[in-house]
Amino acid sequence: MGLQLVLVYVAVALLLIVLVCVRWKRRKLYAASSTMDGPPCLPLVGHVYLIFGKRSGEDILQVLDRYAPRYKSPIGIWMGPQLIVGIKDNPEYFQTVLNSPHMLNKMDQYNFFHIINGLFAAPDHAWKGQRKLLNRSFSPTMLSSFVDTFNDKDFIMVDNLRKYVGGGEIDLHLHIAKCTIDALFGTAFGKDLNTQGHDGADEYLHSLDTFFSLVFKRMLHVERYPDRVYRLTKDYETERNCLNIIRNMSLDLMQELKANSKQAKATSAEQAYEGRPALNFAQTLFDLAEYTPSLTAEHVKDHMDTMIVAGHDTTATTMSNLLLMLAIHPEVQERVYQEVMSVCPDLTKPVTMEEANKLVYTEMVCKETMRLFPVGPLIGRKCVADVKLDDKHTIPAGCSVALGIYQIHRDPSIWGPEAAKFNPDNFLPEKVAERHPYAYLPFSGGPRNCIGIRYAWLSMKILIVHLVRNYRFKTSLKMDDLVIKFAIILRITNGCLVSIEDRNCSPV
């Protein structure tokens, strides 16, 4: 009995020594978090108790809506042993973080994505050089060359919607998603996928949505972070099935494009691009692979996966939200229609880049939609060196930073007492001029912002023109009816539920 008691004492002593050592090594994290605001913290689990039993994006949004308004940035959040610094209401802090050379890397949780390890989640040393070269694929010259493809796919969507005129409410998200993925494949990869002509993409789009839901679910369960543990769950098997479907599409595309590629081998980046016309995304990737040994076939596929997954889903979701906003706010829809008809009234003609640039109010409506419903509601960065926010607060090396885009976009101190109201006038030039530029971040900010910003704006405005000059959209939904799913991509779970009227039918 005496020996057992001694062993217990020794074990307890060793445990205390380990805890003291760990505490000492992490003293800067604890010191920094002690200066930050936040909910009460429990021993060992930290703030994980706040999300116990929360299984869905709707649940997480309820937690954020409940606790976020109570605290000011920076907020110290302990997910077990990991410190996450939350920032949600100070544009200066956002600007500091997003422009810091010490916070270019994404949070470790981004590794759960697997399929989008290209520019989206690549480490900073790999991202910097590749981003600079791939920017050429989204230059004004390239965007101008994409306009015909955007119009062609939008004309098809307009024709496909005619059968729903007068037929009651329908969720148009799948139709929008097919249109955007067709446009993406045509512009970025030079391939006519034609999903609007058949049902071949339905399984892919469903798999993509399921995959994002599973990744977000894993992020909420710290015990699932180790791969060995996660492989024991049913979700792992489902995720693998989804990944196989998603990856097969990019793999087939890669093999086809590679077989058709006739790009000459270059010896350096300077020689490759000097005096040559711009290439689309896929051509640029294959061209880079010819003279960049570090850019392996796996890296090329990662970039293609990223472009396919992130490129179409974000645009499709935003377009669905935008169309729903127009249906809920008929007076806004009418102003968009009047502007469209004043700039490009001929239904039979494609929309030019110059015409799209003249749609000032339409762009304001796009921006307001992305303010209330940013597709990327949360950005996560990893801090590799101390970063000073102000005289009182420093983000310590070794922690992660979570930037609440959704929260700052709805902050009453920035957007006024009716911050939750849909109001395109928030983007009148005089209001934009008096607002901090980092108060609005639908495409992130700083050097690691979204590479496809101009692509997204142009494609969305052209699609809006085709839709509103042909149809009037209505819905029984009100703003208070909308249920938001807070996940990797922010979604309105009600869908794009609208009824369609033909604006141009002849009177009986």
Side-chain angles (χ1 to χ4, degrees):
M1 187 69 179
L3 179 59
Q4 291 178 339
L5 190 59
V6 169
L7 291 175
V8 170
Y9 286 149
V10 171
V12 171
L14 289 173
L15 179 60
L16 289 174
I17 292 172
V18 170
L19 290 175
V20 169
C21 290
V22 170
R23 184 88 183 187
W24 175 255
K25 289 181 179 180
R26 297 163 60 82
R27 62 191 182 279
K28 289 182 65 175
L29 295 177
Y30 291 111
S33 68
S34 68
T35 69
M36 300 177 186
D37 206 358
C41 184
L42 297 180
L44 298 180
V45 299
H47 295 99
V48 175
Y49 72 92
L50 296 175
I51 58 174
F52 279 158
K54 308 303 181 185
R55 304 297 181 186
S56 68
E58 293 90 335
D59 292 337
I60 295 302
L61 188 58
Q62 290 176 4
V63 173
L64 292 173
D65 285 343
R66 179 181 178 184
Y67 288 99
R70 301 182 186 182
Y71 307 102
K72 299 293 291 183
S73 301
I75 301 171
I77 304 166
W78 286 97
M79 297 295 287
Q82 183 181 20
L83 174 62
I84 299 176
V85 178
I87 296 175
K88 51 89 181 179
D89 54 18
N90 189 319
E92 291 287 345
Y93 291 172
F94 275 81
Q95 185 172 18
T96 298
V97 170
L98 291 173
N99 287 281
S100 171
H102 305 306
M103 284 191 275
L104 290 174
N105 286 314
K106 302 296 182 75
M107 289 173 63
D108 291 336
Q109 287 85 345
Y110 280 66
N111 294 327
F112 297 159
F113 285 101
H114 302 297
I115 54 172
I116 45 179
N117 293 322
L119 289 177
F120 179 75
D124 61 347
H125 65 272
W127 161 80
K128 290 178 182 178
Q130 293 175 16
R131 167 69 184 254
K132 182 178 180 180
L133 293 172
L134 290 172
N135 275 337
R136 188 177 175 89
S137 299
F138 296 93
S139 67
T141 301
M142 283 306 302
L143 288 177
S144 180
S145 72
F146 294 161
V147 169
D148 287 345
T149 301
F150 290 147
N151 279 288
D152 289 344
K153 301 308 177 184
D154 295 349
F155 275 124
I156 295 173
M157 181 175 174
V158 167
D159 288 340
N160 287 344
L161 293 186
R162 295 200 186 281
K163 59 180 172 287
Y164 301 110
V165 171
E169 292 185 336
I170 179 177
D171 186 354
L172 290 185
H173 179 72
L174 181 59
H175 291 275
I176 295 171
K178 287 185 173 185
C179 180
T180 57
I181 200 172
D182 278 354
L184 176 72
F185 269 71
T187 54
F189 303 115
K191 177 178 173 59
D192 186 8
L193 198 62
N194 190 29
T195 66
Q196 295 187 92
H198 57 80
D199 297 329
D202 292 20
E203 184 183 35
Y204 172 83
L205 295 171
H206 174 73
S207 296
L208 194 58
D209 189 50
T210 302
F211 173 76
F212 278 136
S213 297
L214 292 175
V215 170
F216 186 67
K217 182 179 178 181
R218 186 180 180 186
M219 287 182 171
L220 299 181
H221 293 77
V222 180
E223 74 278 4
R224 292 188 174 198
Y225 282 16
D227 286 337
R228 289 184 179 181
V229 175
Y230 188 55
R231 290 192 185 101
L232 300 177
T233 66
K234 291 183 179 179
D235 286 348
Y236 173 77
E237 184 178 349
T238 304
E239 181 184 298
R240 301 312 296 180
N241 290 334
C242 292
L243 277 174
N244 287 336
I245 294 170
I246 296 168
R247 282 173 165 163
N248 284 341
M249 174 175 280
S250 61
L251 185 60
D252 292 344
L253 174 65
M254 179 178 172
Q255 292 173 342
E256 178 182 341
L257 295 179
K258 193 172 183 179
N260 296 333
S261 178
K262 297 180 180 179
Q263 296 301 323
K265 186 175 182 179
T267 58
S268 69
E270 292 77 17
Q271 289 174 335
Y273 287 104
E274 186 176 358
R276 289 178 53 185
L279 306 173
N280 70 24
F281 187 78
Q283 290 169 333
T284 300
L285 276 177
F286 290 127
D287 204 38
L288 286 172
E290 287 288 330
Y291 59 83
T292 310
S294 61
L295 189 64
T296 66
E298 189 64 24
H299 292 145
V300 171
K301 194 173 78 64
D302 283 343
H303 284 304
M304 292 179 66
D305 282 333
T306 301
M307 182 56 61
I308 295 171
V309 173
H312 96 273
D313 200 27
T314 53
T315 303
T317 299
T318 299
M319 273 304 308
S320 294
N321 297 342
L322 172 57
L323 206 57
L324 185 60
M325 290 300 101
L326 293 179
I328 292 176
H329 303 90
E331 71 287 354
V332 174
Q333 183 177 175
E334 184 60 25
R335 283 191 63 180
V336 170
Y337 174 71
Q338 293 299 332
E339 180 180 67
V340 165
M341 296 308 289
S342 69
V343 174
C344 37
D346 192 336
L347 278 63
T348 64
K349 289 186 177 180
V351 183
T352 67
M353 195 171 185
E354 292 72 21
E355 289 171 337
N357 290 335
K358 294 178 182 178
L359 300 173
V360 178
Y361 183 74
T362 302
E363 184 169 316
M364 289 167 58
V365 176
C366 289
K367 289 180 176 179
E368 178 67 356
T369 301
M370 297 192 75
R371 179 184 74 85
L372 289 179
F373 309 102
V375 287
L378 192 70
I379 297 174
R381 295 290 174 87
K382 186 162 56 176
C383 186
V384 298
D386 292 355
V387 175
K388 186 176 181 180
L389 289 178
D390 53 33
D391 292 337
K392 184 179 179 182
H393 303 293
T394 295
I395 299 175
C399 74
S400 295
V401 181
L403 300 170
I405 306 299
Y406 177 86
Q407 281 73 32
I408 199 170
H409 279 190
R410 291 171 175 250
D411 191 331
S413 67
I414 298 172
W415 302 94
E418 294 186 319
K421 181 180 178 181
F422 182 82
N423 181 15
D425 286 350
N426 280 318
F427 292 93
L428 288 169
E430 58 270 24
K431 291 191 175 182
V432 173
E434 65 186 23
R435 193 164 52 236
H436 195 289
Y438 279 74
Y440 180 66
L441 297 162
F443 296 99
S444 184
R448 199 156 185 174
N449 65 346
C450 176
I451 193 174
I453 296 175
R454 290 177 296 186
Y455 179 100
W457 286 129
L458 182 61
S459 63
M460 287 192 293
K461 286 200 286 186
I462 291 177
L463 180 53
I464 292 170
V465 169
H466 284 281
L467 292 176
V468 301
R469 73 182 181 182
N470 281 277
Y471 303 117
R472 181 181 291 106
F473 300 93
K474 295 183 177 181
T475 184
S476 59
L477 294 172
K478 307 297 182 185
M479 290 295 286
D480 291 341
D481 299 327
L482 303 185
V483 178
I484 300 173
K485 180 180 180 181
F486 195 91
I488 307 304
I489 291 180
L490 190 79
R491 301 188 191 279
I492 299 174
T493 59
N494 309 72
C496 183
L497 194 64
V498 299
S499 59
I500 307 173
E501 296 178 359
D502 193 335
R503 287 186 182 272
N504 309 291
C505 59
S506 302
V508 179

